């Protein structure tokens, strides 16, 4: 399918304008994402409709803790990514080309909506696993149809996308989880091949849109675990996105090209306590202890949502209020009746 957001040059080259890489491609050349290619002067999205990953997941797996907690969402992923993280946890689809998936039949937007509607207990469609911006054209067609059927659209992304395509699609997306990998541009450059500023811009635009937003940061030992820099990142989140912005701090384990040992639990806990000094809702991921997974009332401290793995129990909320102190919670947690 011909891609959206690109510019044609007189010499046959094209400039992709979907993400901040702005790849300038000669004929038969691919972008950094591996799936957008210049074919005879047209930019083609090779991965349109190709869905190698498809599951019904707990919403908490995205992770989204304040968006219809305890629900399930039909989740799909395509091929390719515009970043090249050596620690990628979905490298089998994100760090490959379409040719690595021979025989994969394309899905139509209608088919995805049909599956979503027929899946019991499902609240919508999550675009996840690989970078959803890289199958932008498919999402641009699918998301409005999902919304029309009364289902939710969820976008799990690295946030490395240009303003115009984000602005076009943001109206159809109900919730975002953005991966803020570090507050250091040097880390982005050397470890991901990207830049941090476009991600920060994306976060600010999502916040201004008033769509549901949560953030995830994977902590890798020796690379983005500096406490001073981490505190600066948390301060930026507080000052620019609000102190009730949900932050998930996730523990790294070896994956893809990275063989570093797992992040020490002590490091995770130190950063967790630092984040809690500035943000009301901070959670921990990839910890076997389960610590840092529950939601407490920000006023009286009562337990409102208990989590064990992906098992979620809402036990301290009644009619959109804390059961103990009656503080309204629907301004920071989305429920079916909110």
């Amino acid at each position: 399918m011909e891609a959206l957001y690109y510019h044609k040059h007189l010499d046959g080259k094209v400039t992709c304008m979907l993400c901040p890489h702005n790849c300038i491609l000669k004929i038969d050349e691919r972008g950094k994402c591996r799936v957008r290619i210049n074919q005879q002067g047209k930019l083609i999205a090779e991965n349109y409709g190709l869905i190698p990953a498809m599951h019904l997941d707990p919403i908490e797996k995205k992770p989204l803790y304040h968006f219809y907690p305890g629900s399930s969402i039909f989740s799909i992923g395509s091929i390719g990514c515009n970043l090249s993280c050596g620690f990628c946890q979905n490298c089998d689809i994100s760090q490959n080309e379409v040719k690595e998936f021979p025989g994969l039949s394309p899905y139509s937007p209608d088919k995805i909506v049909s599956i979503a509607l027929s899946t019991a207990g499902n609240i919508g469609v999550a675009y996840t696993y690989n970078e959803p911006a890289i199958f932008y054209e498919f999402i641009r067609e699918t998301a409005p149809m999902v919304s029309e059927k009364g289902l939710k659209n969820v976008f799990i992304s690295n946030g490395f996308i240009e303003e115009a395509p984000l602005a076009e699609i943001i109206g159809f997306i109900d919730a975002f989880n953005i991966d803020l990998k570090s507050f250091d541009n040097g880390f982005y450059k050397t470890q991901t091949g990207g830049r941090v500023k476009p991600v920060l811009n994306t976060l600010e635009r999502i916040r201004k849109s008033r769509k549901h937003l949560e953030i995830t940061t994977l902590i890798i030992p020796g690379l983005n675990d500096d406490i001073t820099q981490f505190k600066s990142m948390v301060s930026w989140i507080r000052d620019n996105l609000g102190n009730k912005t949900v932050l998930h701090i996730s523990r790294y384990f070896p994956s893809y090209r990275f063989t570093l040992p797992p992040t020490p639990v002590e490091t995770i806990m130190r950063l967790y306590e630092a984040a809690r000094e500035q943000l009301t809702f901070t959670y921990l991921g990839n910890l076997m202890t389960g610590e840092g997974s529950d939601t407490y009332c920000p006023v009286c401290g009562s337990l409102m949502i208990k989590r064990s793995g992906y098992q979620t129990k809402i036990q301290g909320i009644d009619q959109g209020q804390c059961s103990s102190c009656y503080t309204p919670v629907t301004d920071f947690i989305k429920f079916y009746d909110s």
Side-chain angles (χ1 to χ4, degrees), residues 186-297:
F187 175 94
Y188 264 88
K189 182 178 180 180
T190 59
Q191 304 300 330
T192 78
R195 307 189 306 278
V196 68
K197 182 59 176 175
V199 181
L200 300 180
N201 291 342
T202 292
L203 288 167
E204 289 183 306
R205 288 163 187 147
I206 294 171
R207 176 56 75 217
K208 289 177 182 177
S209 76
R210 304 182 66 83
K211 296 304 178 76
H212 185 83
L213 171 64
E214 301 188 23
I215 298 171
T216 298
T217 299
L218 178 72
I219 302 300
I220 305 172
L223 292 180
N224 65 346
D225 58 352
D226 177 79
I227 186 68
T228 301
Q229 189 175 88
F230 180 82
K231 286 182 177 180
S232 296
M233 182 187 80
V234 174
S235 295
W236 183 92
I237 293 172
R238 178 199 64 198
D239 295 343
N240 294 272
L241 308 177
N243 71 335
K244 287 187 171 64
T245 301
V246 177
L247 174 64
H248 300 267
I249 301 172
S250 189
R251 187 186 183 198
Y252 151 88
F253 285 89
S255 183
Y256 191 30
R257 295 173 178 169
F258 268 41
T259 57
L260 290 169
T263 311
V265 174
E266 297 78 12
T267 299
I268 295 294
M269 296 308 300
R270 184 168 65 250
L271 299 181
Y272 174 62
E273 293 302 330
R276 292 179 69 195
E277 293 176 1
Q278 303 188 63
L279 300 177
T280 305
F281 299 109
T282 302
Y283 298 103
L284 296 177
N286 288 347
L287 276 187
M288 304 307 170
T289 63
E291 188 170 357
S293 61
D294 298 334
T295 300
Y296 296 89
C297 176

Side-chain angles (χ1 to χ4, degrees), residues 10 87 113 122 154 157 169 192 203 225 227 249 257 265 283 308 318 320 336:
L10 294 176
F87 46 87
V113 174
N122 173 45
V154 169
S157 170
I169 202 172
T192 78
L203 288 167
D225 58 352
I227 186 68
I249 301 172
R257 295 173 178 169
V265 174
Y283 298 103
S308 178
D318 184 30
Y336 289 104

Side-chain angles (χ1 to χ4, degrees), residues 17 34 53 56 107 141 212 316:
M17 302 171 72
R34 301 177 177 86
L56 182 67
Y107 284 80
E141 293 186 15
H212 185 83

